[in-house]
Amino acid sequence: MKEAFTKKNIIGNTLLFVGMMAYILLFGALFGQNNILIGVATITAMLMLLERDLTIHPVQNTVKFAGLNLLTGIAAFTAGFSVWTAVPIHFVMMFIISYTLIFNLKNPLYLPFSLQYLFLLAIPVTGAELPLRLAGLVVGAISIMALQMIVNRKRISKNGDPIVKSVCTSLMEKIDKKLVGEDTSEMDAAIRKSIGSLRSMIYDQREEDYYLTEEGRLRLNITAALEKIDSLLNTLEPRHAEGRVIQDVRMILNKAIEGDSKEIDAAELSKASEEVMESYRTAPPQSSTQLRLLNNVDYLTDSLLALQQLTPEKRKITRKIEEIPLKFKKFTLSAPRHVSSLKMSYAIRMATGIAISGFIMDFFNLTEGRWMMFTVLSVIIPFYEQSHKKMRDRIFATIVGATLVWIIFSIFHAAAVRTGLLLFAGYLMSYVKVYRYSTILVTFSAIGSVALISGETQFLTVERLVMVLAGVCIALLINRFVLPYKLTDANVNLGRMSNDTLTEMLKEAKDAINGNATIGSHSMKNLLIISTMVEERARVNLQAAGTDAADELFASRRLASNTLYELVSWKEIHGIKEEISLRSIAILDHMEECWLSGISYSELIGQLHLTLANEPILENKIILSMLLEIAEEFEQIRIEDEKMKPSIMK
């Protein structure tokens, strides 16, 4: 909480609040008070969507948002004609919003658009006023993309090098701590988060949800090299302190972070790297681990130089040298796996809840029925376990918020003072992140605004409390009986997704070595990004469930996917001779057989240890060491999966 009140944050939040208020007031002046809540919903959407980079297709995304906004506007208007036609309209509209804006691997974005639909229902307009409302909705969509173009247009370019510098700093700290035998878990977490953040940006920048831009491709290679350097450093011990290789690696990492500029001087870095690599050509280290460490440093510096040499217009070019594989195409609604998916479960529950609460409000002509609908929207959430806490928080916030309005508005009667207090409550929301307390401020603002406009003095009415309780009951019943989806379900599905990803990476690696895959294929790159995002989402779910997201749960999967990517990259850069290529394919076939049948890799691992010890050719030793590492990590995954089976079956 103390961090929220730093000078920088206070200035930033104040400017943000002033900008928000200016936009809302301007929106109200242009489109009337009946449409001012569209401005509120638009501001919410603008800020939430900033976490995504939507600038790869600005026109297409503007059209999509405008289409969705117009659809909500027309649907809300049409729903006002009849109690009975409103039910299917509410259901279809909320299903579309919820299904399209909740994601398996990214944070959901449905809230501002769901809120906007309820705002439109709460303040209906006449046919004569409809064109102005629709115009406001289109302007809202344009505003979302306008802010995207201002803030996110060069997001990956602006943030890429600073993130790489941050990772290099953490890697240097890790080396220093490893060499004195100290714990490096803090550095490991920082490196993982930074790499995950950059890969998330690359994911957002894909064309057709598959093709990476040239900048994205190179930055992914950079993250892969950094991640592999990090994993190879795990073998570092104090006895390696005097080793030449580790000192050279540290020197190059230090070179990457030199200077005050946010950008890396890739030309100087590459020159330093070339000098180091040249010094090993006549007498290379005999350790495959050290050779792989040097190879990944070289891969890192080459990728950084290639990125620096890209002209701005070429950074967003995509190489569409292959068809999008079927496994990457979006699933249709008819796919059986969607019946129990997070998207389908949440969309049906939310659509059902709003349709029922909307029908009750209209059929019984409940003047405070909107409280029931907003409560349903608040309490029906993706995961069942979290709905009970939201229910308690919602009731608590309604009582406390309404009581605060009653006390404060009883003391202050002047409209100007009351308006100032409401604005101050809105400003405080930028500091309060806990749902229980932020909802108190939301309730205070909502009831206070109604009181200010209508002149009401009874803020905490029985009817309002009954509507909140009714909304809670409807939401809890739906969460419990209509396609309930738990955090355990999500984690089981993420585990399956992770296994599917590793299965495909095994196949891709085998095809690449066999010469059946296109050089520079986007498929392997997508799989690496997805493996990272699955891990990050699983961590979020475990933390939400109050479970420790220990790195041991994810390390084997992360290392297996990264080493498979390293193997394919080695093939693309250095090539693999026919003899070792045939041996590698046979080993990968054996791995695939073990993976798909669930049998132990111990026999294969033993054979690989013997083969590696007797291999005289250095390049072959590097390839065999990668294959051994992959087999060992797959064996560890198999053991962990066996341990998890009893808990999944419960």
Side-chain angles (χ1 to χ4, degrees), residues 3 87 115 125 131 146 159 214 237 264 274 398 403 467 551 576 590 592 599:
E3 292 178 2
V87 174
L115 269 175
V125 293
N159 293 292
E214 278 298 281
E237 296 176 8
I264 295 170
E274 281 179 15
T398 300
T403 303
M467 290 300 102
D551 196 58
I576 299 179
H590 193 161
E592 191 174 19
I599 60 176

Side-chain angles (χ1 to χ4, degrees), residues 3 13 43 112 144 176 259 284 498 545 559 642:
E3 292 178 2
N13 287 336
I43 279 287
I144 291 170
D176 294 341
S498 177
L559 188 54
E642 285 294 325

Side-chain angles (χ1 to χ4, degrees), residues 350-419:
M350 181 57 75
T352 304
I354 295 300
I356 290 172
S357 57
F359 173 76
I360 293 171
M361 180 182 75
D362 293 339
F363 188 79
F364 295 102
N365 196 26
L366 301 172
T367 56
E368 301 290 355
R370 63 184 180 277
W371 286 80
M372 178 169 51
M373 296 184 77
F374 283 113
T375 301
V376 166
L377 177 65
S378 173
V379 178
I380 292 182
I381 54 178
F383 301 117
Y384 173 70
E385 298 95 327
Q386 296 174 326
S387 61
H388 293 81
K389 186 175 187 306
K390 281 237 174 180
M391 168 201 70
R392 295 191 297 271
D393 290 346
R394 183 74 188 186
I395 294 171
F396 171 79
T398 300
I399 295 171
V400 173
T403 303
L404 282 173
V405 175
W406 177 69
I407 293 171
I408 293 173
F409 277 33
S410 296
I411 298 171
F412 301 102
H413 300 282
V417 177
R418 289 181 172 184
T419 301

